[in-house]
Structure formats: C-alpha cells, structure tokens
Amino acid sequence: MLQSLGDMVKKGLPFVGILHGFLRVVAVLAIISGLLQWARIIGFSTWQGLHFLEMPLEWQCVVVFFGVLDLVAGIGLWLLANWGTVIWLFLSLSKVVMHTAFASTFGRAPLENVFYICAIAIYLILLYFSEREGRH
C-alpha cells in the first residue's frame, strides 16, 4: 500500500531509493557523454573545428579514454553494480585532475569540475544515509 506523506516523514526519507535514482540519472548522463565522445571519434562531431584525426594526440587519447569509460560506467551505474560506481568515481576524479593539474594541456573547466565534485559529494551523502537507514 502507498504510505501517506506524514508516515514517510516520520520514518524518514527512503534514502536507498533516492540513491538508486541518483545513480540512474548519473548513468544516463555518462552514457550521453560517452556517445558524444564516440560521435567525435567516428566523425559526426568535431572538437574546436577539428576532426578526430586532426586533433592533437593527447586529445585523441582523452576522447577514446572517456568514450570507453563513460559508457562502461554508465552501464554499471544503470545496473546499480558496485563496479559501475567505482569506474564512475575514477572517471570523475580523472576529469577533475585533467582540468586542474593538466590545465595547461587540456584547459580549465571550472563548471565541469564543480559538477563532478558536487555529484561525488551528493553520492557520498546519499550512501551514508542509505547505509545508516539499512542498519536500523
């Protein structure tokens, strides 16, 4: 049966369900990002007006790296598999490092960095509360 809103407030929010919903939203974003990277690789889109083979070598490597990892992470997140979360965390931190430590090569992307850091923080908060909910 459906619970009333008052009962849900008394019991607390269903953090496991919220966490699963959050991971599925992130999965869709990762899959879209991976497909955009593959659109660059096969020539449907360009990067700063350059086709894939005309890009500098470091950008070609990054496009292939994130093209593969975005799709793998997206599938793993959609399936709610632990390995999907690990790959997504690795992928997110790689993008933050790429645009901070290697900003001279790959440029700065402060909004992208803020997005990934906030997404990781939201994930960790939801994980904490869902684990706490599971113990009670």
Side-chain angles (χ1 to χ4, degrees):
M1 293 269 273
L2 292 175
Q3 297 176 342
S4 69
L5 185 59
D7 291 340
M8 287 180 67
V9 170
K10 287 178 189 174
K11 288 183 178 179
L13 293 173
F15 285 104
V16 172
I18 295 170
L19 176 63
H20 290 174
F22 174 75
L23 290 176
R24 293 260 165 97
V25 168
V26 172
V28 169
L29 295 175
I31 290 171
I32 290 170
S33 177
L35 292 175
L36 290 174
Q37 298 296 341
W38 277 98
R40 285 183 181 156
I41 292 169
I42 62 175
F44 283 134
S45 80
T46 60
W47 171 80
Q48 296 183 353
L50 298 174
H51 291 286
F52 181 74
L53 294 175
E54 299 167 342
M55 289 181 190
L57 181 61
E58 59 272 8
W59 272 104
Q60 289 178 352
C61 294
V62 165
V63 167
V64 171
F65 178 77
F66 290 125
V68 171
L69 279 186
D70 276 331
L71 292 176
V72 172
I75 291 168
L77 288 171
W78 186 264
L79 295 174
L80 302 174
N82 292 334
W83 57 265
T85 306
V86 170
I87 292 173
W88 172 70
L89 288 170
F90 173 72
L91 168 78
S92 299
L93 293 174
S94 296
K95 287 184 179 183
V96 170
V97 168
M98 181 179 90
H99 290 299
T100 53
F102 301 105
S104 61
T105 304
F106 298 108
R108 297 204 181 279
L111 293 178
E112 188 175 346
N113 287 345
V114 168
F115 169 77
Y116 283 110
I117 291 169
C118 288
I120 291 170
I122 291 168
Y123 167 72
L124 292 174
I125 290 167
L126 289 174
L127 181 65
Y128 170 77
F129 282 115
S130 66
E131 290 291 326
R132 192 170 141 210
E133 178 182 75
R135 283 188 245 134
H136 289 93

